[in-house]
């Protein structure tokens, strides 16, 4: 017998909601038409989500986490284009801590796009844009899939026609964290998608007591009380396979599946076994499954264990083969991950957080304005079932929803509870819980707002209805403002500076290549552009945004204290911290004398130096380093790769770096372009006072930053006079345009303005004259 529930779990107030259960009497033809209509609706929803997430991905202009690039796109770039392509490989990949499955996806995308670009004979700049956009679109498809299956999962647990399923979809679309994070190439984002897919295929009916379902009609649509139903095995295998992939991506994901597996294996009569837990003057009821019912789940337990072993073995085999291809030797990254982060406690090196971080910061960041509804949903789900539960607690009398919501709520608390014991915490570590929290928040959200929005609801209390509509409007506006600010204005410079460098390289360094030229192969020596980043480590993306291999760049690193004892770890200082402690000393020891123009003489702000190296020419700033000098220099983190950490670390008690006696350590070169945050501008002005570096670009970064080293604009100094002159003209043009739109002052004020303007004009003219004299002295070779 087929049944479609009227879903007592749903809070629909529509007057025509499937009265009298006429579904059983519908003809086969009419049912086929309805199924086709449902399929068309699902297809439309999925296409809408794809379009939305692609727009989302392409509109993001801000920087979030280094792992977005250095744990996915950088190893993918190396897999696609080889070791000499300029990708930055961090220490995690050099010590086999990460599974290569995630970057392999983007490596395949890179190879396909590069091949198509060559086949279509795209220009160099067009090829660069394609390689820049392709990973974003790929991740947008993953994000849309996660949104879609959140909705489908809601239909499964609440009913196919329930308003709660649509509310879960609305929460997913309107959540500013989703707009900010879901389309980024973090492994946590793919983990979240795989988790919600696996949850949608999970056999939730297994955790329900047989005694609670005396009649088959009590089951929700699509659920049948048969362990061996035809589609159960295929759905179980899909769920376990996706869950295993999520666990390979992020080993902590296994906590979710341990929780759900225990519910499926150790099920019991929950209404007879309740344990009250007092907390904050309230009582939370925890259900305990009695032991006598274990005999009823023996068949299901064998099936679950067997299929878990098979799917786990297949995923581990796939992961091992992919890792073998990437690392060139057999390895098991999950073990290495646990060893380095737990045994060596390297996670502490990247920061520690309070034990309550996930409760006081994690959930609020994930849910923002939807946090109250999620908390109510969790509380209601953990409350004890009662005869008046549907009316008072908002819970369904259907056993399926009672058990499913309880398991979801319990799991959403278990994961942050366990992760709270780890000192290093990040909100993205609990990101896979967000679809679950959306589903739990959907019921309170619908119960609160739907009566005020539905035309079929009573209109006796107009004031309350207006209040709820106002609250909903305020929530939507706040979410839109948060999403806009976080994706358009906060930390924009790390992306815009690389766009400036890439376009400058294409405009000044690259001649137009033939259409068949390979983008990943440097063509001539004169095309090489050198860049140095005097910023905290991983402050910007790398090769995934620089694109061109003829852009040679270096940056400050922050390798953790690997294979060191406790005393060495206590005195360890990474390269970035060393620079910020003693900028002048670091530059003198690691880069040598600063560059100077031909004929320019004098000190350069570094003690003990009286002359500098020559670099570039006065017109374009094109590098005059030889190919051998560039080849022997350190680029793209190579100095970290060539020397083991135990032989290259520096501590407070060791002023000089130790190097491998059997291997010459590569050094950094003074580049044509220096990139740094405004916080270092005053120091570098003093250190490089007489150098040819001039400001040629400045980008606004953020209103405020929690890292003092990243405060202020992001600035680029270059050696080429042409670019510096173009930048000065651009700034002057902007100032002139701003001055033209100012209202004309009154006569007295205008007189003072003219006096101030005259002084400013005289001052600028004086410094131009001084600068011109400097150029004349340099030209005469004095």
């Amino acid at each position: 017998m087929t049944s479609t529930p009227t879903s007592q779990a749903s809070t629909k107030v529509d007057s025509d909601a499937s009265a009298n259960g006429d579904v059983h009497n519908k003809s086969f033809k009419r049912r086929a038409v309805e199924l086709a209509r449902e399929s068309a609706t699902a297809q439309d929803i999925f296409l809408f989500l794809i379009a939305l997430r692609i727009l989302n991905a392409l509109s993001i202009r801000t920087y979030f986490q280094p792992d977005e690039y250095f744990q996915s796109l950088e190893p993918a770039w190396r897999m696609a284009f080889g070791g000499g392509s300029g990708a930055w490989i961090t220490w995690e990949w050099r010590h086999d801590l990460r599974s290569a499955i995630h970057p392999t996806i983007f490596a395949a995308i890179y190879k396909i796009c590069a091949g198509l670009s060559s086949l279509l004979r795209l220009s160099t700049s067009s090829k660069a844009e394609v390689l820049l956009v392709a990973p974003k679109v790929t991740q947008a498809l993953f994000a849309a899939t996660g949104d879609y299956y959140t909705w489908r999962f809601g239909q499964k647990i609440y009913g196919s026609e329930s308003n709660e399923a649509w509310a879960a979809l609305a929460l997913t679309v309107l959540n500013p964290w989703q707009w900010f994070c879901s389309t980024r190439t973090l492994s946590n984002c793919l983990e979240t998608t795989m988790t919600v897919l696996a949850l949608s295929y999970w056999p939730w009916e297994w955790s329900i007591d047989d005694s609670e379902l005396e009649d088959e009609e009590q089951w929700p649509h699509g659920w049948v009380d048969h362990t061996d139903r035809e589609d159960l095995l295929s759905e179980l295998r899909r769920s376990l396979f996706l869950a295993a992939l999520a666990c390979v991506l992020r080993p902590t994901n296994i906590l979710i599946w341990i929780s759900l597996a225990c519910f499926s294996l150790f099920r019991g009569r929950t209404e007879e076994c309740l344990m009250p837990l007092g907390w904050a003057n309230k009582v939370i009821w925890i259900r305990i499954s009695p032991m006598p019912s274990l005999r009823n789940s023996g068949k299901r337990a064998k099936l679950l264990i067997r299929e878990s072993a098979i799917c786990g073995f297949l995923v581990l085999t796939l992961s091992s083969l992919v890792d073998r291809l990437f690392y060139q030797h057999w390895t098991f990254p999950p073990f290495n991950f646990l060893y380095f982060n737990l045994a060596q406690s390297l996670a502490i090196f990247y920061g520690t957080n309070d034990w309550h971080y996930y409760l006081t910061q994690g959930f609020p960041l994930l849910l923002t304005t939807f946090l109250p509804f999620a908390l109510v949903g969790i509380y209601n789900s953990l409350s004890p079932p009662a005869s008046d539960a549907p009316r008072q607690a908002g819970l369904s009398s259907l056993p399926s929803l009672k058990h499913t919501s309880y398991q979801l709520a319990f799991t959403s608390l278990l994961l942050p509870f366990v992760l709270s014991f780890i000192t290093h915490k990040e909100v993205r570590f609990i990101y896979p819980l967000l679809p679950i929290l959306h589903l739990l928040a959907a019921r309170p959200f619908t119960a609160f707002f739907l009566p005020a929005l539905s035309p079929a609801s009573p209109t006796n209390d107009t004031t309350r209805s207006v209040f709820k509509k106002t609250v909903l409007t305020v929530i939507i506006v706040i979410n839109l403002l948060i999403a806009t600010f976080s994706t358009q204005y906060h930390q924009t410079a790390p992306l815009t500076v690389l766009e400036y460098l890439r376009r400058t390289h294409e405009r000044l360094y690259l001649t137009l290549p033939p259409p068949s030229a390979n983008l990943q192969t440097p063509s001539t020596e004169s095309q090489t552009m050198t860049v140095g980043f005097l910023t905290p480590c991983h402050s910007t993306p790398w090769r995934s945004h620089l694109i061109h291999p003829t852009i040679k760049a270096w940056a400050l690193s922050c390798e953790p204290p690997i294979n060191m004892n406790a005393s060495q770890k206590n005195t360890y200082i990474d390269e970035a911290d060393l620079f910020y402690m003693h900028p002048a000393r670091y530059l003198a020891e690691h880069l040598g004398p600063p560059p100077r123009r031909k004929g320019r003489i004098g000190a350069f702000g570094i003690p003990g130096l009286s002359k500098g190296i020559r670099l570039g020419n006065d017109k374009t700033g094109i590098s005059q380093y030889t190919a051998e000098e560039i080849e022997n220099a350190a680029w793209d983190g190579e100095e970290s790769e060539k020397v083991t950490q135990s032989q290259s670390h520096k501590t407070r008690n060791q002023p000089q770096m130790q190097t491998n006696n059997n291997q010459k350590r590569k050094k950094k070169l003074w580049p044509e372009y220096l990139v740094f945050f405004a916080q270092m501008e005053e120091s570098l002005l003093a250190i490089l006072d007489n150098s040819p570096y001039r400001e040629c670009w400045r980008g606004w970064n953020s209103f405020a930053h929690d890292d003092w080293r990243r405060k202020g604009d992001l600035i680029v100094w270059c050696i080429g006079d042409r670019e510096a002159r173009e930048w000065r003209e651009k700034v002057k043009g902007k100032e002139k345009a701003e001055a033209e739109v100012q209202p004309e002052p009154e006569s007295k004020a205008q007189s003072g303005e003219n006096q101030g303007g005259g002084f400013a004009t005289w001052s600028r003219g004086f410094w131009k004259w001084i600068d011109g004299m400097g150029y004349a002295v340099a030209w005469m070779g004095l």
Side-chain angles (χ1 to χ4, degrees):
M1 175 167 38
T2 305
S3 71
T4 302
T6 56
S7 185
Q8 297 178 10
S10 176
T11 56
K12 292 192 303 179
V13 294
D14 301 78
S15 58
D16 57 345
S18 301
N20 303 322
D22 293 335
V23 177
H24 300 287
N25 300 325
K26 290 181 179 179
S27 64
F28 176 79
K29 181 177 181 181
R30 184 175 179 182
R31 182 59 181 163
V33 172
E34 289 186 354
L35 289 174
R37 186 181 303 155
E38 292 176 4
S39 177
T41 302
Q43 183 179 2
D44 293 340
I45 292 295
F46 187 53
L47 293 177
F48 163 75
L49 291 173
I50 289 177
L52 178 70
R53 290 307 174 195
I54 291 178
L55 175 64
N56 183 181
L58 298 181
S59 64
I60 290 180
R61 301 175 58 247
T62 57
Y63 184 83
F64 175 37
Q65 284 280 352
D67 286 5
E68 180 181 354
Y69 311 100
F70 292 92
Q71 303 299 345
S72 56
L73 299 186
E74 291 304 309
W77 191 277
R78 186 167 189 169
M79 292 175 68
F81 305 121
S85 58
W88 186 300
I89 302 301
T90 59
W91 69 274
E92 293 98 330
W93 298 97
R94 298 195 300 273
H95 292 274
D96 306 355
L97 266 69
R98 303 287 184 179
S99 171
I101 289 182
H102 186 223
T104 299
I105 298 173
F106 297 106
I109 298 298
Y110 278 140
K111 292 291 288 185
I112 293 173
C113 291
L116 290 176
S117 299
S118 299
L119 184 65
L120 298 175
R121 298 178 178 271
L122 298 181
S123 64
T124 302
S125 59
S126 297
K127 290 180 182 179
E129 292 296 333
V130 170
L131 293 176
L132 182 66
V133 169
K136 299 180 180 181
V137 175
T138 303
Q139 182 57 42
L141 297 178
F142 292 144
T145 303
D147 295 341
Y148 175 77
Y149 273 90
T150 300
W151 173 59
R152 300 291 289 182
F153 186 28
Q155 288 185 317
K156 184 173 184 178
I157 63 175
Y158 289 120
S160 59
E161 298 180 4
S162 65
N163 288 307
E164 285 79 5
W166 291 102
L169 179 62
L171 294 175
T172 300
V173 172
L174 295 176
N175 190 326
W177 176 267
Q178 283 288 84
W179 188 264
F180 172 70
C181 186
S182 66
T183 58
R184 298 183 184 271
T185 53
L186 291 162
S187 61
N188 310 87
C189 298
L190 183 59
E191 175 198 7
T192 302
T193 297
M194 290 186 172
T195 300
V196 71
L197 261 71
L199 290 173
S200 66
Y201 290 119
W202 183 256
W204 295 98
E205 61 267 38
W206 279 10
S207 59
I208 302 174
D209 296 338
D210 296 334
S211 59
E212 295 183 8
L213 296 176
E214 298 177 356
D215 190 350
E216 209 173 87
E217 294 183 0
Q218 294 188 40
W219 288 88
H221 176 60
W223 290 15
V224 182
D225 188 18
H226 294 152
T227 302
D228 55 349
R229 61 186 174 90
E230 296 180 359
D231 59 335
L232 183 140
L233 187 59
S234 61
E235 290 187 358
L236 177 62
R237 287 173 175 172
R238 294 178 195 173
S239 178
L240 293 175
F241 185 81
L242 291 167
L245 284 176
C247 293
V248 168
L249 288 177
R250 304 286 304 183
T252 53
N253 193 268
I254 197 173
L255 294 172
I256 296 176
W257 302 105
I258 290 177
S259 173
L260 297 180
C262 289
F263 279 112
S264 296
L265 295 176
F266 307 107
R267 60 195 181 87
R269 300 189 178 187
T270 57
E271 77 279 1
E272 296 180 358
C273 301
L274 297 175
M275 183 181 72
L277 178 64
W279 179 75
N281 297 326
K282 295 182 179 179
V283 177
I284 298 178
W285 292 84
I286 300 179
R287 300 181 177 95
I288 305 297
S289 298
M291 294 299 293
S293 66
L294 290 177
R295 62 180 184 272
N296 297 328
S297 58
K299 182 178 180 181
R300 296 170 182 174
K302 292 179 181 178
L303 179 62
L304 180 60
I305 294 174
R306 185 194 70 191
E307 295 301 327
S308 298
I310 293 175
C311 293
F313 175 77
L314 292 176
V315 170
L316 287 178
T317 301
L318 173 63
S319 176
S320 299
L321 292 175
V322 173
D323 293 336
R324 175 65 177 83
L325 293 175
F326 179 82
Y327 291 112
Q328 297 300 308
H329 60 267
W330 294 106
T331 184
F332 189 59
F335 173 79
N336 299 329
F337 178 86
L338 295 175
Y339 171 74
F340 278 93
N341 285 281
L342 298 181
Q344 295 201 27
S345 300
L346 294 182
I348 302 177
F349 181 75
Y350 294 101
T352 59
N353 305 89
D354 296 327
W355 65 268
H356 53 76
Y357 171 85
Y358 291 118
L359 294 179
T360 58
Q361 298 183 50
F363 278 1
L365 286 173
L366 282 180
L367 294 161
T368 57
T369 56
F370 300 141
L371 177 63
F373 302 101
L375 295 179
V376 172
I378 293 174
Y379 176 79
N380 289 344
S381 299
L382 296 177
S383 299
S387 58
D388 58 347
R391 177 174 57 85
Q392 293 185 359
L395 291 174
S396 170
S397 61
L398 287 177
S400 59
L401 182 57
K402 287 193 302 182
H403 286 262
T404 302
S405 61
Y406 176 82
Q407 294 177 49
L408 293 176
F410 181 86
T411 303
S412 66
L413 296 180
L414 175 66
L415 181 62
F417 173 77
V418 175
L419 294 181
S420 295
F421 289 96
I422 302 176
T423 55
H424 178 65
K425 305 174 183 68
E426 294 184 35
V427 62
R428 59 192 179 93
F429 294 167
I430 60 171
Y431 186 22
L433 296 177
L434 187 56
I436 296 176
L437 296 172
H438 283 154
L439 290 167
L440 294 175
R443 290 192 51 76
F445 186 85
T446 305
F448 185 81
F449 289 113
L450 187 60
L453 299 177
S454 175
S457 63
T459 57
N460 296 333
D461 196 346
T462 307
T463 303
R464 179 175 297 183
S465 177
V466 172
F467 170 74
K468 291 183 176 181
K469 291 180 181 178
T470 303
V471 171
L472 181 60
T473 302
V474 171
I475 287 176
I476 294 175
V477 171
I478 291 176
N479 287 354
L480 291 176
L481 291 176
I482 294 175
T484 301
F485 174 78
S486 60
T487 59
Q488 301 297 316
Y489 298 104
H490 183 61
Q491 295 195 89
T492 59
L495 299 185
T496 53
V497 67
L498 296 189
E499 180 181 3
Y500 162 76
L501 293 173
R502 186 178 67 254
R503 295 189 184 280
T504 299
H505 180 66
E506 294 170 355
R507 179 169 58 94
L508 298 180
Y509 289 77
L510 292 181
T511 57
L512 187 63
S516 59
N518 188 352
L519 184 65
Q520 280 68 47
T521 303
S523 52
T524 62
E525 178 183 335
S526 62
Q527 291 181 331
T528 301
M529 171 182 178
T530 57
V531 185
F533 289 83
L534 293 175
T535 60
C537 64
H538 310 315
S539 292
T540 67
W542 202 251
R543 193 57 54 182
S544 61
H545 282 61
L546 290 172
I547 305 294
H548 304 289
T550 45
I551 300 179
K552 297 294 184 180
W554 55 258
L556 304 177
S557 63
C558 53
E559 300 290 309
I562 301 175
N563 298 326
M564 294 185 185
N565 56 40
S567 60
Q568 289 176 324
K569 289 181 179 180
N570 292 332
T571 58
Y572 175 80
I573 305 176
D574 63 50
E575 184 182 24
D577 288 340
L578 183 66
F579 166 74
Y580 280 94
M581 289 174 60
H582 305 288
R585 183 188 302 175
Y586 173 88
L587 295 175
E589 292 179 359
H590 293 79
L591 278 76
R596 64 181 176 86
R597 295 182 182 277
K598 296 179 180 179
R600 185 66 62 90
I601 58 176
F604 296 97
I606 301 180
L609 297 178
S610 59
K611 63 180 180 178
I613 60 172
R614 304 174 187 269
L615 177 65
N617 58 61
D618 294 339
K619 293 185 178 180
T620 62
I622 300 297
S623 173
Q624 291 185 356
Y625 285 126
T626 65
E628 183 179 359
E629 289 174 327
I630 293 177
E631 180 67 24
N632 294 329
W635 309 105
D636 308 312
E638 288 179 338
E639 69 276 20
S640 299
E641 291 188 62
K642 299 297 182 182
V643 184
T644 61
Q645 184 63 33
S646 60
Q647 294 171 322
S648 65
H649 69 275
K650 173 175 283 191
T651 67
R652 294 180 176 89
N653 299 325
Q654 292 176 279
Q656 298 297 329
M657 274 192 164
Q658 299 177 1
T659 59
N660 190 341
N661 296 329
N662 299 325
Q663 185 177 19
K664 183 179 179 181
R665 180 179 175 84
K666 291 187 174 183
K667 291 190 63 175
K668 296 180 174 69
L669 298 178
W670 281 100
E672 300 161 278
Y673 296 82
L674 274 178
V675 183
F676 56 91
F677 284 98
Q679 188 274 339
M680 284 298 303
E681 185 174 15
E682 185 175 346
S683 299
L684 290 178
L685 281 173
I687 295 172
L688 302 176
D689 181 37
N690 294 320
S691 74
Y693 285 112
R694 296 290 183 270
E695 181 179 317
C696 56
W697 186 86
R698 179 185 290 259
W700 184 83
N701 188 41
S702 62
F703 292 103
H705 205 287
D706 56 354
D707 187 348
W708 63 271
R709 301 173 300 176
R710 291 183 169 94
K711 290 183 178 179
D713 298 338
L714 196 59
I715 303 171
V716 178
W717 281 0
C718 62
I719 289 179
D721 292 337
R722 172 181 172 181
E723 295 164 80
R725 184 169 59 253
E726 290 177 352
W727 175 248
R728 288 196 298 268
E729 292 175 354
K730 183 178 180 179
V731 172
K732 289 179 180 178
K734 185 183 297 185
E735 293 175 350
K736 182 178 180 181
E738 293 176 354
E740 290 177 352
V741 299
Q742 295 293 331
E744 295 185 3
E746 297 180 358
S747 57
K748 185 176 181 180
Q750 186 173 2
S751 175
E753 179 90 9
N754 289 337
Q755 291 177 6
F759 176 78
T761 303
W762 177 87
S763 177
R764 286 194 297 268
F766 173 78
W767 289 112
K768 283 184 178 179
W769 179 80
I770 293 296
D771 199 25
M773 290 297 296
Y775 288 144
V777 171
W779 179 75
M780 290 185 295
L782 298 178

